[in-house]
Amino acid sequence: MTMLSVAGLAVSRGGLPVLENLDFTLEAGHALVLRGPNGIGKTTLLRTLAGLQPALAGTVSMPPESMAYAAHSDGLKSTLTVRENLTFWSSVYATHDIEPALDRMNLRSLEHRAALSLSAGQKRRLGLARLLVTGRPVWVLDEPTVSLDTASVALFAEAVRGHLASGGAALIATHIDLGLDEARVLDLGPFKARPPEEGGMMGAFDEAFL
Amino acid sequence: MIALLLRDLRLAVRAGGGFGLGLAFFLIVVTLVPFGVGPQGEILARIAPGILWLGALLACLLSLDRIFALDYEDGSLDLLVTAPIPLEGVVSIKALAHWITTGLPLVVAAPVFGILLHLAPEAQLWMIVALLLGTPALSVLGTFGAALTVGLKRGGLLLSLLVLPFYVPTLIFGAELVRRGAEGMNTQVPLLMLAGITAATIALVPFASAAAIRVNLR
């Protein structure tokens, strides 16, 4: 079953096209890893897929209400405890069960600590636990392993594997090897937008003024 | 939606949340005025409605920039936009949370502060009614300014400049309602205008604020 399909997609950042002619599909139970140098447009692509910015051209299709997005920052409230942070997101997504997520991301012992007093890696783990409580099938992850140690990266890979096994799909932008051997890798290099004089597209006109 | 309201209220009362800040500011403004204009009761009584309304306006303004800026900084605004709640709903809930933490305490405290300014006893009730009807509009209009300036560093000052002109109708009719109430005149017209302005802003402004946030997040 196709969870996400992208056809002829072009995305722009700050009015300038960065990627064009992207075509890929993501099936249930599969993971796709996006690679490419800094500035190639991985984050821009993921933000476009998440619906945070409009695409310059092309189509993105996926079942409605199927995507959970995780950005560079985790969206944690520092004065709330780990449990309160997770409970909030689980009630936003109407899932109401945070216990499996706490166990999967090894946060049980930190449950009552304020997010303020967590280390960077622990915050990241909490951010990833948020994905588990969304109950959404398509995960769109932007650099999910930043500040994680090797044990936590393995924990994360395990969580992704569990998600894929239960019929989910994941789109992950990352620079490191996650140990997900089954994941396909998409190098974004060949999709870099050409400059307009070589036949590439112009940025959206009004974007230049925003 | 309820979860978001509870989260915002909880954040407001936790350390650094700013709950009570507006109220304390209101108190200081109201106590400073008699030092400035002198202790004559009849002058204070005449300017009391205007001072109380200006104090409420400024106290409300003080915490407006926090409505979206904090969520923007820690990334939760991105996540809220992609969450299964309409953004217009998020804006409305945030306005409600802002009103509960700043507007409502002012409504409750207004009679006490009225006494400090020699507000006529017959105007006390009208002051409460006017603030109760008018302050929700201040919070909802504030979300529009906050949405426009989200993502700007030090956007607070720009926010004040953007939002204060929109507060003028509420200020005019709010103060007029209390003045007429104090003098025993017919209060129906300013009362209806004040309520109408609030109803219209609650109905329309969340859509504008949500659109502004979507543009700013691009």
Side-chain angles (χ1 to χ4, degrees):
Chain A
M1 186 183 144
T2 306
M3 301 303 274
L4 171 69
S5 73
V6 167
L9 186 71
V11 299
S12 66
R13 184 180 58 230
L16 292 173
V18 286
L19 290 170
E20 62 183 10
N21 296 329
L22 268 167
D23 288 285
F24 61 85
T25 55
L26 188 57
E27 312 288 325
H30 288 76
L32 182 61
V33 172
L34 299 176
R35 285 195 197 277
N38 291 143
I40 189 82
K42 297 186 292 295
T43 297
T44 312
L45 172 61
L46 295 184
R47 286 180 69 85
T48 308
L49 294 179
L52 287 167
Q53 62 180 71
L56 205 53
T59 54
V60 177
S61 51
M62 68 180 108
E65 307 244 310
S66 62
M67 176 178 292
Y69 170 65
H72 283 280
S73 42
D74 297 310
L76 304 175
K77 287 296 171 192
S78 54
T79 48
L80 298 184
T81 65
V82 169
R83 171 169 280 276
E84 285 168 335
N85 268 301
L86 274 186
T87 308
F88 166 66
W89 287 110
S90 78
S91 29
V92 165
Y93 283 89
T95 48
H96 302 294
D97 190 14
I98 66 162
E99 308 303 328
L102 281 175
D103 289 331
R104 288 271 281 285
M105 277 296 155
N106 194 16
L107 290 164
R108 181 61 70 186
S109 55
L110 303 168
E111 199 182 340
H112 298 294
R113 290 260 291 274
L116 182 76
S117 60
L118 299 182
S119 78
Q122 290 166 337
K123 279 183 189 158
R124 195 77 244 207
R125 260 161 43 207
L126 177 52
L128 295 172
R130 187 189 68 84
L131 282 172
L132 294 168
V133 304
T134 60
R136 291 284 177 93
V138 183
W139 287 0
V140 173
L141 313 177
D142 200 351
E143 302 277 1
T145 53
V146 171
S147 50
L148 290 184
D149 57 17
T150 40
S152 298
V153 170
L155 205 64
F156 166 68
E158 204 47 54
V160 172
R161 239 177 239 124
H163 178 63
L164 299 181
S166 63
L171 184 63
I172 307 168
T174 182
H175 292 289
I176 67 155
D177 185 17
L178 294 173
L180 283 170
D181 300 325
E182 64 274 35
R184 274 190 301 140
V185 174
L186 178 69
D187 185 8
L188 290 177
F191 301 101
K192 189 170 182 185
R194 292 158 298 164
E197 51 269 26
E198 288 173 27
M201 57 184 84
M202 302 286 284
F205 181 71
D206 64 336
E207 287 275 330
F209 296 99
L210 289 175
Chain B
M1 301 270 256
I2 307 262
L4 181 60
L5 178 66
L6 291 177
R7 182 195 76 151
D8 273 16
L9 294 178
R10 191 176 281 158
L11 285 173
V13 295
R14 294 267 163 100
F19 181 74
L21 201 68
L23 194 61
F25 181 80
F26 193 47
L27 173 66
I28 288 175
V29 169
V30 167
T31 34
L32 284 183
V33 168
F35 291 122
V37 300
Q40 298 93 332
E42 65 279 13
I43 297 180
L44 282 176
R46 177 135 26 108
I47 62 171
I51 298 295
L52 285 170
W53 262 103
L54 272 180
L57 236 64
L58 296 176
C60 178
L61 205 58
L62 207 61
S63 49
L64 277 184
D65 62 332
R66 313 174 63 97
I67 296 185
F68 298 118
L70 297 180
D71 279 343
Y72 177 79
E73 280 160 19
D74 63 21
S76 29
L77 194 57
D78 278 353
L79 302 179
L80 280 174
V81 172
T82 55
I85 326 177
L87 190 52
E88 289 78 7
V90 171
V91 170
S92 309
I93 289 293
K94 291 211 154 260
L96 178 61
H98 180 260
W99 182 72
I100 291 175
T101 50
T102 56
L104 194 58
L106 297 190
V107 175
V108 175
V112 182
F113 294 167
I115 293 170
L116 286 176
L117 289 176
H118 294 260
L119 188 67
E122 54 272 25
Q124 292 283 12
L125 179 65
W126 290 111
M127 192 70 224
I128 297 173
V129 171
L131 284 175
L132 196 61
L133 281 176
T135 46
L138 304 184
S139 293
V140 179
L141 282 169
T143 63
F144 182 57
L148 281 178
T149 54
V150 76
L152 290 181
K153 294 258 183 287
R154 307 275 174 274
L157 186 62
L158 181 60
L159 171 66
S160 322
L161 292 178
L162 286 171
V163 162
L164 276 177
F166 288 110
Y167 283 179
V168 170
T170 300
L171 174 65
I172 291 174
F173 291 109
E176 180 70 5
L177 174 61
V178 182
R179 193 186 62 81
R180 289 197 180 194
E183 293 174 5
M185 291 156 71
N186 185 1
T187 51
Q188 195 183 10
V189 173
L191 185 70
L192 289 179
M193 285 303 288
L194 192 63
I197 291 164
T198 301
T201 49
I202 291 174
L204 299 174
V205 171
F207 294 95
S209 307
I213 291 177
R214 285 202 185 92
V215 170
N216 265 332
L217 285 185
R218 277 182 191 177

